[in-house]
């Protein structure tokens, strides 16, 4: 499977962004491509500098919920960084 269509990418990012801010996985997209088991990486940058990153290379989880879960981990549990603060969110860029 190749790269996601633009709208699919927007939905994936929106669900992961919501998950970072709230800890809630319920807005992770489901159905279609989002239910296919895939690997994924979540990378956070603030002002171009790495702020958190985690990946899961095994294709053993549905993409939608996996992306949201990894985004939360990158923001809150990457041991190289302190947890992302709400005040940092507007400066943070998420890539999946």
């Amino acid at each position: 499977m190749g790269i996601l269509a633009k709208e699919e990418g927007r939905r994936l990012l929106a669900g992961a962004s919501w998950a970072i801010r709230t800890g809630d996985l319920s807005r992770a997209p489901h159905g279609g491509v989002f239910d296919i088991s895939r690997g994924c990486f979540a990378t956070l940058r603030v002002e171009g500098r790495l702020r958190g990153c985690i990946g899961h290379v095994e294709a053993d989880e549905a993409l939608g919920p996996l992306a949201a879960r990894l985004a939360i981990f990158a923001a809150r549990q990457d041991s190289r960084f302190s947890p992302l603060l709400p005040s940092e969110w507007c400066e943070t860029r998420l890539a999946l």
Side-chain angles (χ1 to χ4, degrees):
M1 186 169 111
I3 297 172
L4 298 175
K6 281 185 181 184
E7 182 56 32
E8 292 167 337
R10 280 192 282 267
R11 287 182 59 202
L12 194 64
L13 282 169
S17 295
W18 173 260
I20 289 171
R21 290 191 304 271
T22 66
D24 179 8
L25 298 176
S26 69
R27 290 195 185 178
H30 295 279
V33 68
F34 305 113
D35 288 345
I36 297 172
S37 293
R38 297 289 309 260
C40 184
F41 279 80
T43 303
L44 299 171
R45 293 187 177 277
V46 174
E47 297 180 357
R49 284 174 272 163
L50 184 65
R51 186 61 177 78
C53 185
I54 186 71
H56 183 84
V57 296
E58 297 294 323
D60 60 357
E61 293 185 50
L63 178 60
L66 174 62
R69 186 174 62 74
L70 292 176
I72 291 171
F73 186 94
R76 299 180 182 187
Q77 297 176 345
D78 186 330
S79 62
R80 298 170 292 175
F81 305 96
S82 60
L84 189 70
L85 299 171
S87 61
E88 296 177 286
W89 179 245
C90 64
E91 302 296 323
T92 302
R93 299 293 171 252
L94 170 63
L96 297 169

